[in-house]
Amino acid sequence: MRIAIATLIGGLVMFLWGAFAHMVLPLGEMSMRAPLDEDKVLSALHDGLPAEHGIYVLPHYDMAMHGDDKAVAAFSAKAKASPYAFIVYSPYGKDPMAMGANLFHQWLSDTLAALIVVLVMLRAGTGAVRGLYVGLAFGVFSWLSLSVPYWNWYRFPGAFTAGTLVEQAFGWLIAGAAAGWWLGRRGRSAGIKPMA
């Protein structure tokens, strides 16, 4: 029960921080821009991409070209002369205001991640301060392992990547501190001295 409650606390704190960061602060939308002619772009996507949910990187590099020096040189020249796009595409629309399932999935994801933080904290020591350090480490780890590679390989904007660092690092810092506080509190009531 002690682990479950600490997990729920950590997951809820991270979930609420994420909502605040996206709805009140600009962290989740840094570098996101509106197209000059949205209808034209949507029509081009509909006509130019397959009718299947997928990720498309333009210009597209076909791995079958590997080993063909002429094809690789032609691709390099095209890539240098062309705009670049990383597109997450779905051919079917969805009401973005109907967020019930998305919110549930986000809460579940945050809670499962908080469980991992709590389990590590039980080995590393409990208490709000220890939880703060463990949570911060997880936040920075997640940023380094996911966001930085997207910036490096897929050209995600620097501002978006920096905003993700603040969102993840600060969110897991406070979530870890809250979960660590609960674990330390429960330990004290049982006569166990928590590690700071």
Side-chain angles (χ1 to χ4, degrees):
M1 184 60 85
R2 177 178 172 228
I3 293 172
I5 292 175
T7 297
L8 289 172
I9 289 171
L12 183 61
V13 168
M14 186 61 187
F15 178 79
L16 293 174
W17 160 248
F20 181 78
H22 282 260
M23 296 175 71
V24 178
L25 303 178
L27 292 178
E29 287 74 39
M30 292 178 80
S31 299
M32 291 190 180
R33 305 285 185 265
L36 296 177
D37 188 338
E38 182 173 286
D39 292 336
K40 186 176 180 180
V41 173
L42 290 174
S43 178
L45 290 174
H46 184 268
D47 294 340
L49 295 178
E52 59 182 282
H53 193 183
I55 295 173
Y56 301 89
V57 178
L58 303 175
H60 173 69
Y61 178 77
D62 187 346
M63 291 302 288
M65 292 189 296
H66 197 66
D68 182 341
D69 293 341
K70 277 188 168 183
V72 170
F75 171 79
S76 293
K78 180 179 180 180
K80 289 176 186 176
S82 301
Y84 169 86
F86 180 95
I87 303 167
V88 179
Y89 178 71
S90 176
Y92 308 108
K94 178 183 176 184
D95 181 2
M97 297 298 107
M99 295 184 282
N102 298 92
L103 291 172
F104 172 76
H105 293 144
Q106 186 63 53
W107 169 82
L108 182 61
S109 173
D110 289 339
T111 302
L112 292 174
L115 175 61
I116 296 170
V117 172
V118 166
L119 293 175
V120 169
M121 217 180 301
L122 288 172
R123 296 290 294 172
T126 61
V129 174
R130 186 61 57 96
L132 184 146
Y133 291 139
V134 171
L136 177 61
F138 269 92
V140 173
F141 174 84
S142 68
W143 178 76
L144 287 171
S145 60
L146 291 172
S147 297
V148 171
Y150 276 30
W151 164 81
N152 181 42
W153 293 103
Y154 298 115
R155 303 190 207 178
F156 275 42
F160 182 86
T161 305
T164 304
L165 171 62
V166 175
E167 181 184 352
Q168 292 299 309
F170 184 74
W172 284 113
L173 180 146
I174 58 174
W181 166 80
W182 175 261
L183 290 172
R185 175 182 170 273
R186 298 301 297 160
R188 282 192 296 276
S189 69
I192 301 169
K193 184 178 179 182
M195 298 173 68

